[in-house]
Amino acid sequence: MELRTELPEVFDEFGEARRQGFLTVKNLKEQGQAVVGVYCTFMPEELVMASGAIQISLCSTSDETIPDAEEDLPRNLCPLIKSSYGFGKTDKCPYFYFSDLVVGETTCDGKKKMYEYMEEFKDTYLMHLPHNRDSEASKKLWYSELVGFKEKLEDFFDVTITEDQIREAIKLKNYERRAKQNFYRLGQLNPPAISGTEIFQVMYGSQYKFDKQEVIQMLEETTQKVKTSYEEGKVLPKKPRILITGSPMGGVTEKVIKAIEDNGGIVVAFENCTVSKAVERLVEEDTEDVYQALVDKYINIGCACMSNNQPRKDMLSNMVDDYQVDGVIDMVLQNCIPFSVESLKIKRYLNEEKDTPYLYLETDYSTSDIEQINTRVTAFIEMLEEETACTI
């Protein structure tokens, strides 16, 4: 494998990964590689890996096919759901097209009902998440869902999945998680080593490189290059340090990162699906029951679809401290009910328990609100600068 040597080239390579991955998946399919498409980080990739398939993220992040989706779905539905369905319905997403099986999940009512339409034109399997993460009944339900998913993969791909294969997959996936952690934790450096745009570019792009060993090597080498550059004194100017939380990001919604970094701030941390939410917690490797280990990992992802969502508060608390965060921006997609309703609890927690300023920012997959976002983000950053000045 030929690796880029300069950091801008490395970041660009990750940035291009989703587009270039289309050809990679096409070639893999021609070689007989099985492909599973998923929409959510709750999906246990270790089971897919153990089956010999590769897992691909299908979440769509553009409004291109929303009009097509609205022929079947309500207009007042989350843009992520409409975009995902629209790209599947129109076959405009190569990843969806090349997926042998699409696996959905009941993270919200809108997605759950959307999958009922999707199964009309794609082999689809639905995993039922419990609503409450703390009860024994919920853990038993998720345990049975994981076993059921394993059996579905065996039946669909005509393979046998052993517990030893699952254990090996757990170890490899944990290795990848550690490499990702080491990279995005570069955001803890102060003054900053790299921008939030670059952190997100690498983390988002890493989802579309399908050779785990290659991804791990690239992440490790990129992390070391950044550290070496930092030790040589190549740092970014000090600015208000922002953490982004909320709905999944990517594509059009990267306008929020741009608004922050174009208007006097810098994003140092992302508590969301694309970066840290599903990566921070590892799967226990030295355990007799591999399914229970997967239950303990995946049921504790701090998503707003679960009650209670103490894991999200705990992660935010740690990240505010570890990344020396000055303010938090909660980016929520329009009509994303779980995250919009939970936003008040997050605001109260950050303001009262962490003494950290908070901004709620609602948006969609259009570009029509960019100026409004710029105005609100600029005012928020100016407030942070004033507060900093008052404490000096």
Side-chain angles (χ1 to χ4, degrees):
M1 178 185 63
E2 181 181 352
L3 291 176
R4 306 290 186 180
T5 57
E6 299 296 325
L7 278 174
E9 293 178 335
V10 174
F11 296 142
D12 287 344
E13 184 170 340
F14 275 105
E16 288 290 307
R18 191 174 195 273
R19 183 179 62 81
Q20 294 173 348
F22 295 157
L23 293 177
T24 302
V25 173
K26 179 178 182 294
N27 291 334
L28 288 171
K29 285 292 296 178
E30 290 173 349
Q31 297 166 24
Q33 174 65 60
V35 177
V36 174
V38 303
Y39 288 95
C40 183
T41 53
F42 276 106
M43 298 302 93
E45 186 174 2
E46 290 86 349
L47 296 180
V48 176
M49 293 164 63
S51 76
I54 59 171
Q55 181 167 296
I56 295 177
S57 176
L58 298 177
C59 274
S60 298
T61 53
S62 161
D63 63 357
E64 178 184 348
T65 62
I66 285 180
D68 298 289
E70 289 176 345
E71 294 176 358
D72 302 337
L73 303 177
R75 294 176 60 86
N76 61 338
L77 194 62
C78 165
L80 185 151
I81 298 174
K82 292 190 291 186
S83 178
S84 299
Y85 179 80
F87 273 99
K89 175 187 175 183
T90 60
D91 257 343
K92 290 184 177 179
C93 174
Y95 291 127
F96 186 93
Y97 176 81
F98 287 120
S99 293
D100 299 292
L101 177 69
V102 168
V103 183
E105 79 305 320
T106 57
T107 44
C108 74
D109 289 341
K111 289 180 82 174
K112 178 174 67 176
K113 302 305 288 186
M114 179 267 285
Y115 292 127
E116 294 180 9
Y117 291 101
M118 186 174 285
E119 66 184 4
E120 295 176 2
F121 51 82
K122 194 72 174 181
D123 285 318
T124 305
Y125 181 76
L126 186 65
M127 296 186 69
H128 294 270
L129 280 165
H131 296 299
N132 185 309
R133 62 164 45 90
D134 296 324
S135 71
E136 286 304 312
S138 293
K139 294 174 184 177
K140 289 179 180 178
L141 169 62
W142 193 228
Y143 189 105
S144 68
E145 286 294 308
L146 295 184
V147 173
F149 181 43
K150 188 268 295 189
E151 293 172 349
K152 173 66 178 181
L153 291 169
E154 288 180 317
D155 179 66
F156 191 84
F157 292 118
D158 192 22
V159 297
T160 299
I161 300 174
T162 67
E163 293 191 6
D164 285 341
Q165 288 173 319
I166 298 173
R167 287 191 178 90
E168 288 304 309
I170 287 172
K171 291 177 182 178
L172 180 56
K173 185 63 182 175
N174 276 347
Y175 192 1
E176 181 192 38
R177 289 188 182 106
R178 292 188 188 98
K180 288 182 175 182
Q181 289 172 1
N182 291 335
F183 174 74
Y184 66 67
R185 287 174 183 170
L186 291 169
Q188 295 177 7
L189 295 172
N190 193 357
I194 54 178
S195 68
T197 299
E198 291 164 335
I199 293 173
F200 192 85
Q201 196 172 24
V202 170
M203 291 299 296
Y204 188 67
S206 67
Q207 299 177 95
Y208 300 100
K209 289 182 174 291
F210 309 114
D211 183 325
K212 294 294 183 188
Q213 296 293 352
E214 178 186 347
V215 172
I216 291 166
Q217 183 180 351
M218 289 189 69
L219 286 167
E220 290 179 339
E221 296 210 2
T222 303
T223 301
Q224 188 54 54
K225 289 180 190 297
V226 174
K227 286 182 176 179
T228 300
S229 178
Y230 193 78
E231 290 165 359
E232 293 172 350
K234 299 175 183 177
V235 302
L236 300 180
K238 284 197 170 188
K239 297 178 181 180
R241 299 168 65 85
I242 306 297
L243 180 153
I244 295 179
T245 184
S247 301
M249 291 190 75
V252 178
T253 51
E254 292 175 52
K255 62 189 174 183
V256 175
I257 306 172
K258 179 174 172 57
I260 294 167
E261 301 197 325
D262 282 354
N263 291 289
I266 186 164
V267 181
V268 296
F270 298 85
E271 187 282 320
N272 59 21
C273 300
T274 315
V275 183
S276 64
K277 190 186 294 293
V279 177
E280 277 291 302
R281 187 183 181 117
L282 303 179
V283 179
E284 177 61 47
E285 296 180 13
D286 300 320
T287 181
E288 183 176 346
D289 191 335
V290 292
Y291 299 104
Q292 188 60 52
L294 293 172
V295 166
D296 293 340
K297 153 57 182 183
Y298 283 94
I299 204 172
N300 283 300
I301 292 175
C303 180
C305 69
M306 286 276 197
S307 295
N308 71 58
N309 202 5
Q310 188 62 38
R312 185 183 181 196
K313 292 180 181 178
D314 292 342
M315 183 177 287
L316 283 169
S317 177
N318 291 334
M319 294 182 80
V320 165
D321 295 338
D322 294 343
Y323 292 80
Q324 304 165 64
V325 169
D326 296 307
V328 172
I329 292 181
D330 194 356
M331 189 218 78
V332 177
L333 293 172
Q334 287 179 2
N335 298 307
C336 179
I337 303 303
F339 277 99
S340 62
V341 173
E342 190 170 271
S343 63
L344 177 59
K345 282 193 173 185
I346 297 303
K347 177 182 179 180
R348 287 173 175 170
Y349 178 75
L350 290 168
N351 287 171
E352 297 169 9
E353 301 296 326
K354 301 300 294 182
D355 192 27
T356 302
Y358 167 96
L359 174 66
Y360 177 83
L361 199 62
E362 188 173 282
T363 187
D364 60 13
Y365 283 175
S366 74
T367 57
S368 60
D369 61 352
I370 287 178
E371 289 307 314
Q372 181 188 51
I373 290 173
N374 278 324
T375 299
R376 295 194 63 207
V377 167
T378 299
F380 184 66
I381 291 172
E382 288 176 351
M383 179 197 72
L384 297 178
E385 290 173 331
E386 291 173 3
E387 289 186 355
T388 301
C390 290
T391 60
I392 297 177

